[in-house]
Amino acid sequence: MLPDEAVLVRSALEAQGLETPMLDNGLSRDEKYQKISKLMTEVISTLGLDLTDDSLSETPHRIAKMYVDEVFSGLNYSNFPKIALIDNKMQVREMVKVKDISFTSTCEHHFVTIDGSATVAYIPQGKIIGLSKINRIVRFFAQRPQVQERLTQQILLALQTLLQTKDVAVTMDAVHYCVKSRGVMDMNSKTQTTALGGIFKDDGRTRAEFLARY
């Protein structure tokens, strides 16, 4: 059974049309692992690589394990982080801001790396969230095939849902290897996306404070 927080967040994303396009294929973790390993064996063989070589022989298995247990683990809501919320007994009403949250994701168009950092802030109302949980929520949604625009919005809505406030803001800066390592092969450009809610959208001073570098 999924944690209540995971169910709430998933329902909120679905309601807003922000959930990652997914279908329940009914496969268990082990069935996904076995199927991906078999299919990757075909891909590698089709490329003309020798799977009897000791450097390549375990590659299909490594990729299958990586996909299921690591880089795409955020597709499974049973991996949603355990969330610690406490009552705002201190009556904190100022911005809480977590900067330079590192993340690695995967471009859903080419299945290559997105590498970047996020800054997340909120204005506490009735609840305060454990700071490491913000990092874990970023990581959970990053561990999927993604587009950066959706990823930014998913983090925003997840935190709004959990904290029961609209006053949340997210900005993300990332290097997309679908741009860096193929196609235009631009080695320097980064993509920045921002999602603002509540006072961060409506009040220019609060927005400027959030977006300030320091």
Side-chain angles (χ1 to χ4, degrees), residues 31-170:
E31 288 170 334
K32 290 177 181 178
Y33 169 82
Q34 294 294 336
K35 189 167 186 176
I36 293 170
S37 178
K38 180 180 178 181
L39 292 170
M40 286 308 306
T41 298
E42 294 184 22
V43 170
I44 294 167
S45 297
T46 300
L47 289 171
L49 295 170
D50 182 4
L51 281 166
T52 65
D53 187 274
D54 59 2
S55 179
L56 290 167
S57 60
E58 294 299 313
T59 297
H61 303 285
R62 294 187 191 104
I63 293 174
K65 186 177 187 301
M66 177 182 70
Y67 277 7
V68 175
D69 296 335
E70 298 176 281
V71 299
F72 298 147
S73 60
L75 292 171
N76 185 350
Y77 272 96
S78 66
N79 295 320
F80 193 79
K82 184 178 180 180
I83 301 300
L85 294 170
I86 62 172
D87 292 333
N88 186 10
K89 301 183 185 73
M90 298 168 284
Q91 297 298 305
V92 177
R93 291 292 182 263
E94 301 298 324
M95 185 186 307
V96 177
K97 181 177 177 180
V98 183
K99 298 171 58 178
D100 301 325
I101 302 169
S102 62
F103 72 89
T104 301
S105 190
T106 304
C107 163
E108 70 180 39
H109 299 148
H110 298 95
F111 270 37
V112 292
T113 299
I114 302 170
D115 189 31
S117 64
T119 296
V120 177
Y122 74 101
I123 309 294
Q125 299 295 326
K127 297 290 183 180
I128 293 175
I129 191 170
L131 292 180
S132 70
K133 306 308 179 184
I134 294 176
N135 301 59
R136 292 181 186 278
I137 288 170
V138 171
R139 183 178 185 275
F140 174 79
F141 286 109
Q143 298 299 286
R144 299 175 169 195
Q146 278 288 12
V147 292
Q148 188 174 327
E149 297 88 342
R150 185 201 301 130
L151 172 59
T152 311
Q153 293 285 343
Q154 286 176 335
I155 296 164
L156 177 86
L157 185 55
L159 286 167
Q160 288 177 327
T161 301
L162 294 167
L163 292 165
Q164 300 176 22
T165 177
K166 294 292 186 182
D167 298 334
V168 179
V170 181

